[in-house]
Amino acid sequence: MSGTGALPISDGSLALSALLIGLNLALSSLLRLGLGRPLLLASTRMVVQLLLVGGVLEWLFRQQNPLPILGLGLVMACIAAVSAVQRTRRRFAGIYWNSLVSVLAASSLVTGLALVGIIRPQPWFAPQYLIPLLGMVLGNTLNGISLGLDRLMESLVSQRDQVELRLGLGASRWEACREPVADAIRVGMVPTINSMLVMGLVSLPGMMTGQILQGGAPAAAVRYQIVVLFMIAAATALGLVAVVLLAYLGLTSRDHQLRLERLRQVP
Amino acid sequence: MTSPLLLAQGLRKQVGERLLWQRLGLELGPGERLALVGPAGCGKTLLLRQLAWLDPLDGGQVLLRGLPPQGWSLPRYRAQVAYLAQRPPVFAGTVAQNLAEPWTYRCHQGRSPDPERLLAWLDQLGRGPSFLGQDAERLSGGETQLLALLRLLQLDPVVLLLDEPSASLDGATTLKLEALLLQWLGNGDRALILTSHDPDQVQRCCDRQLELGP
């Protein structure tokens, strides 16, 4: 990148930006919206997490060894896998493993291919490429997985009679569950597909904005963005299909039975 | 002594802490018609579901012509031991589309529907060919039951497991449906197990009863 770097933000300016939230806090308490606590908590968490991450990244970017970098990637993937499950309304034994396996497989495959085959930094694990790319992939895969898992479990419960009717008529478990499975995958992909449809028209993605703020040429930033969006779409689709199929296998049996007693509702 | 079509031995069912039945056995030969009777909640539906292998087995075994369900592979077992739920749902679309859906399953490939027989059955039940074009989701409860029974019968199962097959039918249609069932049973190695809240129906349709105790 040929940029000269963005203008640095001083501590005072940073505090000034917090005033914007302060305005909302005042409004909330005035109108008793009950927004104050969650907003304050979220803002504080955001600041603390980002400052911590800034420090970790400073240290990480000086590393020459791939191990700590890949280790951080693994931790990020685990957090994404757990958060994806935590937003669902039902659970079954093994749901966390299903999520972890799907997130890990999809994100490492897609990020790995992009690093080695497309962007080709030297060395391939260069953290200023690997970590942010992986982060963007994980953030989106997480959303897809959590939407798809939730939808699959809800449809199997609400369409239980239909599924069992098909089984009773001689359908295999796949024939009986194909509709809910396809529906769950479709729902999980909606945000990704929607965001690609309006990309550049409604939203300027954060990474591209960042590169332009850094003084990068918009044309180059756009190219990066295209690669990243393809990575996101590919990883989301892969992770989503994997997790939905694993959950489908977990909630049916080899005897072509629907095993919804394995589901329990999150209180 | 003919060998049984369906044989169940030592069945055991537990729901939570409650033991519904144990050491339950039944034997069903060609042409036999068995009624499951007992108070509400004694597990009649669960026993039918068990025989259709829709629930995991808590104990015992079930054999169709001497082979366990896994021996047939489950879709093929269920195509022969056909279960009709008490309030069967319909698929989106017309009655005809509902009747066509099972023929798309792999286990029915190589066989094809018999439209003439279907029309004859419809006629017997007092419904004309226009019934086929109706929107299945707008049928009355009774018509939904007729559709569900025809959707199953057309596949030529060996053992029919019917859970309250005429619960939403008027008296006249109930008798027509029973006549159709008995006629169907007479055509080959076939047997029937049903539950009914109506003792008269049990009398008319069945030659044996199995009492499920509380």
Side-chain angles (χ1 to χ4, degrees):
Chain A
M1 259 171 283
S2 59
T4 50
L7 302 171
I9 293 178
S10 68
D11 288 349
S13 313
L14 209 56
L16 206 60
S17 74
L19 264 185
L20 294 171
I21 290 295
L23 206 65
N24 284 297
L25 286 178
L27 201 63
S28 165
S29 74
L30 199 68
L31 300 178
R32 301 183 188 207
L33 299 179
L35 206 62
R37 258 176 176 282
L39 197 59
L40 201 63
L41 180 72
S43 307
T44 314
R45 266 190 66 165
M46 182 271 287
V47 170
V48 172
Q49 283 165 204
L50 282 184
L51 287 179
L52 277 177
V53 162
V56 170
L57 288 181
E58 292 261 352
W59 169 81
L60 196 75
F61 284 11
R62 290 194 300 270
Q63 302 300 310
Q64 303 299 314
N65 186 335
L67 276 184
I69 299 162
L70 293 179
L72 180 66
L74 189 66
V75 170
M76 287 162 65
C78 289
I79 294 174
V82 170
S83 331
V85 172
Q86 270 169 352
R87 287 196 225 161
T88 58
R89 287 167 283 177
R90 294 171 200 272
R91 305 283 157 76
F92 56 89
I95 191 172
Y96 283 100
W97 283 113
N98 290 354
S99 176
L100 184 62
V101 166
S102 312
V103 166
L104 264 185
S107 62
S108 57
L109 185 76
V110 168
T111 312
L113 279 180
L115 284 176
V116 173
I118 301 170
I119 302 176
R120 299 186 196 175
Q122 291 300 330
W124 64 269
F125 56 82
Q128 62 268 46
Y129 289 93
L130 193 149
I131 296 296
L133 287 176
L134 183 66
M136 282 185 282
V137 163
L138 285 177
N140 286 275
T141 309
L142 177 166
N143 275 332
I145 283 184
S146 114
L147 284 174
L149 261 184
D150 191 57
R151 180 57 166 249
L152 179 75
M153 294 189 285
E154 293 304 317
S155 338
L156 285 181
V157 169
S158 66
Q159 295 177 36
R160 170 186 195 147
D161 289 349
Q162 285 244 353
V163 171
E164 291 198 324
L165 169 67
R166 289 197 159 97
L167 291 173
L169 288 167
S172 66
R173 59 172 157 171
W174 173 246
E175 287 166 326
C177 294
R178 207 183 43 212
E179 262 179 36
V181 165
D183 189 49
I185 291 174
R186 186 188 59 77
V187 165
M189 280 307 283
V190 162
T192 307
I193 290 177
N194 279 353
S195 86
M196 285 204 287
L197 281 175
V198 298
M199 190 54 66
L201 303 177
V202 176
S203 57
L204 276 188
M207 190 195 75
M208 200 169 110
T209 316
Q211 266 177 298
I212 295 173
L213 281 178
Q214 288 282 344
V222 162
R223 288 172 165 267
Y224 258 91
Q225 192 58 47
I226 290 175
V227 169
V228 165
L229 285 173
F230 279 146
M231 288 172 66
I232 286 174
T236 304
L238 274 179
L240 179 61
V241 167
V243 86
V244 167
L245 288 182
L246 286 174
Y248 146 78
L249 287 176
L251 294 173
T252 54
S253 75
R254 284 167 171 275
D255 279 357
H256 300 268
Q257 294 160 332
L258 191 58
R259 300 292 299 270
L260 290 186
E261 79 279 3
R262 290 173 181 165
L263 276 184
R264 61 175 200 286
Q265 214 150 358
V266 178
Chain B
M1 173 78 196
T2 47
S3 63
L5 292 175
L6 193 68
L7 180 70
Q9 288 170 328
L11 293 187
R12 199 183 120 80
K13 185 77 194 176
Q14 196 164 355
V15 176
E17 292 287 289
R18 197 165 143 236
L19 185 66
L20 275 179
W21 62 73
Q22 60 181 341
R23 291 190 294 278
L24 186 148
L26 61 86
E27 201 179 309
L28 208 60
E32 286 194 290
R33 311 182 302 271
L34 175 69
L36 299 183
V37 293
C42 69
K44 295 181 293 248
T45 298
L46 282 175
L47 180 54
L48 291 182
R49 286 176 57 89
Q50 186 68 79
L51 293 174
W53 216 253
L54 286 169
D55 294 320
L57 195 64
D58 289 343
Q61 63 168 350
V62 177
L63 300 174
L64 171 69
R65 296 189 202 273
L67 266 186
Q70 291 89 346
W72 289 98
S73 95
L74 260 300
R76 282 179 62 212
Y77 172 83
R78 288 200 195 104
Q80 298 179 81
V81 181
Y83 165 68
L84 186 57
Q86 201 170 116
R87 279 179 216 86
V90 296
F91 304 123
T94 61
V95 171
Q97 283 168 327
N98 265 266
L99 293 170
E101 153 111 22
W103 296 103
T104 64
Y105 304 154
R106 222 172 63 123
C107 86
H108 299 302
Q109 259 169 28
R111 305 199 297 143
S112 54
D114 181 346
E116 275 173 37
R117 184 176 64 167
L118 195 67
L119 285 176
W121 285 347
L122 276 177
D123 189 49
Q124 245 178 299
L125 295 170
R127 299 288 186 284
S130 66
F131 183 63
L132 293 175
Q134 288 188 33
D135 183 350
E137 283 167 319
R138 296 172 150 249
L139 296 177
S140 69
E143 286 176 319
T144 304
Q145 279 195 316
L146 292 186
L147 163 60
L149 183 69
L150 291 179
R151 193 169 49 199
L152 207 57
L153 272 190
Q154 61 168 349
L155 301 171
D156 283 317
V158 175
V159 179
L160 266 183
L161 310 171
L162 305 181
D163 198 355
E164 298 276 357
S166 54
S168 341
L169 292 177
D170 59 73
T173 314
T174 299
L175 291 178
K176 287 177 186 164
L177 178 134
E178 289 172 5
L180 175 63
L181 277 178
L182 293 180
Q183 172 202 325
W184 179 85
L185 275 167
N187 283 336
D189 275 1
R190 290 163 174 175
L192 166 73
I193 303 182
L194 68 72
T195 70
S196 174
H197 64 281
D198 177 5
D200 292 338
Q201 181 170 52
V202 170
Q203 281 295 320
R204 287 193 302 266
C205 292
C206 299
D207 48 18
R208 280 198 295 144
Q209 295 193 3
L210 177 66
E211 180 121 17
L212 292 180

